[in-house]
Amino acid sequence: MTEQHPLPQPPKNKWKMIKRIFILIIILLIYIWTISSISIRWDKIFSSRTLENFDRIIPRFFQPAVAETESIVEKMIETIFIAYTGSLAAAIIAVPLAFLCASNMVKNKVLNNIGMWILGAVRAFPEIVLAIIFVAAVGPNPFAGVLAIAIGSTGMLGKLYSEVIESIDMHVIEALEASGANKLQILFYGIMPQILPEFLSYAIYRFEIDVRASSVLGIVGAGGIGTLITFAYMNRNWEEVGMILLVIIITVTVIDQISGFIRRRLV
């Protein structure tokens, strides 16, 4: 009786490679489908008129209107103030919502879900949409921008804060409870020391994002440097647009470097 040998099986690495190729093909097909669904006019993009517009406009960006520096810097400072005020308000508002969402602090699933629903609903609205709503409500002024940043940032910070709270060491809380500490003492000596560094780190990081977001809120009348962008664009003053972009780039880069240093020291 002859001995039967089992058929050789393909190596596992080969199956992994086939799986990766299959996933790559699926991603590529989805990309092609989405591109073909948005009706891009490739003939207009690569037309001679488009290329002429690039040759006429792009070089003017690199000839910034230095004479407008003072007014642009003034509006950039206003933009930073809008971002700071909105971020600070959001960092405060997000704290009670984060405790409401944290399952190790509030043992009621209904309240947890309500808190998560509130934060999810807030995160669904981009800052520019909130700015349009608040401009209609309070008028075209920087206060509308502050409200848009404050509400828009609360959703993100509340979610991040709740995750920080849920990751704290509960043994510290249990030890304080066993020693007879009251709720206020547990909050200040058991919870706050664990969450405060990360809370501040996330708040500073959100401030970085809000400076960028505030730069465009003026387009809809919510104050800041976006107002100058609108006027410069309407007047086809591309040199002034170039100067505005230069000021935004320098400001955002400096803020990123400073906030990155502070966050590294905190966490």
Side-chain angles (χ1 to χ4, degrees):
M1 185 175 179
T2 59
E3 184 180 356
Q4 293 183 350
H5 296 283
L7 294 174
Q9 298 293 325
K12 290 184 178 179
N13 290 337
K14 185 177 179 181
W15 285 115
K16 286 183 179 178
M17 181 61 67
I18 293 172
K19 183 180 178 180
R20 288 172 183 170
I21 293 172
F22 179 74
I23 293 172
L24 184 62
I25 291 172
I26 294 296
I27 294 172
L28 184 61
L29 290 173
I30 293 173
Y31 184 76
I32 293 171
W33 174 56
T34 53
I35 286 291
S36 60
S37 300
I38 56 179
S39 303
I40 298 176
R41 297 290 300 274
W42 298 104
D43 55 331
K44 286 191 174 182
I45 292 175
F46 296 105
S47 66
S48 58
R49 183 178 179 182
T50 302
L51 297 176
E52 287 174 6
N53 288 335
F54 270 95
D55 291 337
R56 180 170 52 86
I57 294 172
I58 299 300
R60 294 174 64 184
F61 284 148
F62 297 95
Q63 301 169 11
V66 181
E68 304 294 332
T69 303
E70 185 177 349
S71 61
I72 293 171
V73 170
E74 183 181 341
K75 281 295 183 181
M76 190 69 236
I77 292 172
E78 182 180 89
T79 300
I80 294 172
F81 288 169
I82 291 171
Y84 177 77
T85 309
S87 300
L88 181 60
I92 296 170
I93 297 169
V95 173
L97 290 172
F99 275 93
L100 183 66
C101 295
S103 57
N104 58 342
M105 294 291 115
V106 177
K107 305 295 184 180
N108 189 314
K109 287 292 183 183
V110 175
L111 293 177
N112 293 152
N113 290 332
I114 290 173
M116 293 301 293
W117 182 85
I118 292 171
L119 294 178
V122 170
R123 289 199 307 275
F125 292 94
E127 285 85 358
I128 194 74
V129 175
L130 292 170
I132 293 171
I133 295 171
F134 287 122
V135 165
V138 302
N141 55 64
F143 183 58
V146 171
L147 291 175
I149 292 296
I151 300 301
S153 301
T154 298
M156 172 186 166
L157 287 177
K159 176 115 172 45
L160 294 173
Y161 286 0
S162 67
E163 292 175 357
V164 172
I165 295 169
E166 287 182 336
S167 66
I168 66 173
D169 185 3
M170 293 301 293
H171 292 98
V172 177
I173 313 300
E174 292 167 0
L176 287 170
E177 288 176 343
S179 64
N182 58 38
K183 297 291 184 183
L184 198 59
Q185 290 172 327
I186 291 172
L187 175 64
F188 280 102
Y189 297 107
I191 299 174
M192 294 301 291
Q194 296 190 66
I195 64 175
L196 195 56
E198 289 193 69
F199 272 28
L200 292 174
S201 177
Y202 282 134
I204 294 170
Y205 177 63
R206 183 64 209 190
F207 171 66
E208 295 177 31
I209 298 172
D210 288 339
V211 171
R212 300 184 185 94
S214 301
S215 300
V216 297
L217 295 185
I219 294 174
V220 296
I225 203 167
T227 306
L228 294 183
I229 295 175
T230 303
F231 290 151
Y233 166 75
M234 291 173 64
N235 295 324
R236 300 295 190 267
N237 190 346
W238 305 118
E239 290 84 1
E240 186 176 351
V241 173
M243 190 66 201
I244 293 169
L245 294 177
L246 180 62
V247 170
I248 291 173
I249 291 169
I250 293 173
T251 303
V252 169
T253 302
V254 171
I255 289 173
D256 283 354
Q257 293 297 319
I258 295 173
S259 64
F261 173 76
I262 295 172
R263 285 188 286 112
R264 285 192 297 271
R265 296 296 297 269
L266 285 173
V267 181

